[in-house]
Amino acid sequence: MAAEFRTPSFRGWKAVVLHRPHADRDNICRQLERLGIEVECVWPDLRKEHGEANVLVFDADMAHEGQFPWKADIQPMPMIALMGTEAPGRVEWAIRRGAGAHLNKPIGSSGIYGALVVAQRSFEARFAYENKIADLEQRLARRPQVVEAILTLMLQRNCDAHTAYRGLRDLAMAGRISIEDAADELNARPGGADDDRRKA
């Protein structure tokens, strides 16, 4: 079943527009303001505090790496690229810079709302993905402790690895903690698994 789509509102957001004075910039600002978004226009350089804005709209044709105070692998907010060229190098740079959506130039009187929705969803998906990867990496780094706990249970309970893992999982479920945390607790106890068997 598809997730319910709720029409997003951007009222109260703050947008930073990295664009030289130009009709395209003026049109973007008008569209953003109609949506209840506070707009700050910046050129030529962003400041570190601009990373706290809700969205960044930048000129992908004229902007360059030195204008950004954060590294390319950091995406502090949803970003929208304004593009007048389809040169592969500029498109690739805009994506690498974090653009989750784009608008083609010349900018007219509409289009920013759809770009905001796409950029926000793209940002949220990337954030969730990065958090999931970080969690998996953390859990992987703790595998040796899990193996140690399983070996301890195998020796103390004279059972195979599968049964020992089930025992460790039961401890985790009883304590409402992760397998890794259960392993750490078990490994830290002087009596190891024997303490849990005596309490059972």
Side-chain angles (χ1 to χ4, degrees):
M1 183 176 180
E4 181 183 354
F5 177 78
R6 295 183 179 180
T7 304
S9 170
F10 302 103
R11 186 166 296 279
W13 272 33
K14 179 175 180 180
V16 174
V17 178
L18 179 65
H19 200 296
R20 70 199 186 288
H22 190 274
D24 285 334
R25 187 189 75 176
D26 296 341
N27 287 337
I28 279 293
C29 290
R30 278 193 288 269
Q31 290 187 53
L32 291 166
E33 288 167 352
R34 281 202 302 267
L35 293 172
I37 298 174
E38 178 187 344
V39 181
E40 180 181 356
C41 295
V42 179
W43 192 265
D45 297 327
L46 292 164
R47 298 188 302 276
K48 189 175 181 180
E49 57 265 30
H50 287 139
E52 298 175 7
N54 299 107
V55 64
L56 171 66
V57 181
F58 66 96
D59 182 1
D61 297 328
M62 300 292 292
H64 57 83
E65 202 65 36
Q67 293 175 287
F68 291 78
W70 53 82
K71 296 179 180 178
D73 60 348
I74 296 174
Q75 185 182 350
M77 81 284 276
M79 300 186 197
I80 299 170
L82 305 181
M83 309 190 72
T85 176
E86 294 184 347
R90 295 311 292 179
V91 174
E92 175 62 29
W93 178 79
I95 293 171
R96 197 169 62 248
R97 247 298 150 202
H102 80 282
L103 283 175
N104 290 325
K105 298 178 186 177
I107 304 299
S109 60
S110 63
I112 193 63
Y113 181 80
L116 281 166
V117 173
V118 172
Q120 182 190 28
R121 294 295 172 89
S122 175
F123 178 78
E124 290 173 349
R126 176 175 172 171
F127 187 76
Y129 175 77
E130 289 177 350
N131 281 345
K132 184 175 182 179
I133 293 298
D135 180 62
L136 289 172
E137 288 177 344
Q138 185 181 45
R139 293 182 67 182
L140 184 61
R142 297 172 71 186
R143 286 291 95 178
Q145 288 84 355
V146 173
V147 171
E148 180 184 347
I150 290 172
L151 290 173
T152 298
L153 288 170
M154 289 173 66
L155 289 170
Q156 293 181 347
R157 298 181 180 182
N158 192 26
C159 61
D160 60 21
H162 182 70
T163 303
Y165 179 78
R166 274 196 328 223
L168 181 60
R169 187 185 60 197
D170 290 343
L171 292 174
M173 291 176 64
R176 296 184 179 179
I177 56 178
S178 69
I179 291 283
E180 292 77 17
D181 287 341
D184 286 343
E185 285 190 5
L186 185 64
N187 294 334
R189 292 173 187 166
D194 285 337
D195 284 352
D196 294 288
R197 285 203 296 177
R198 283 194 291 269
K199 291 175 184 176

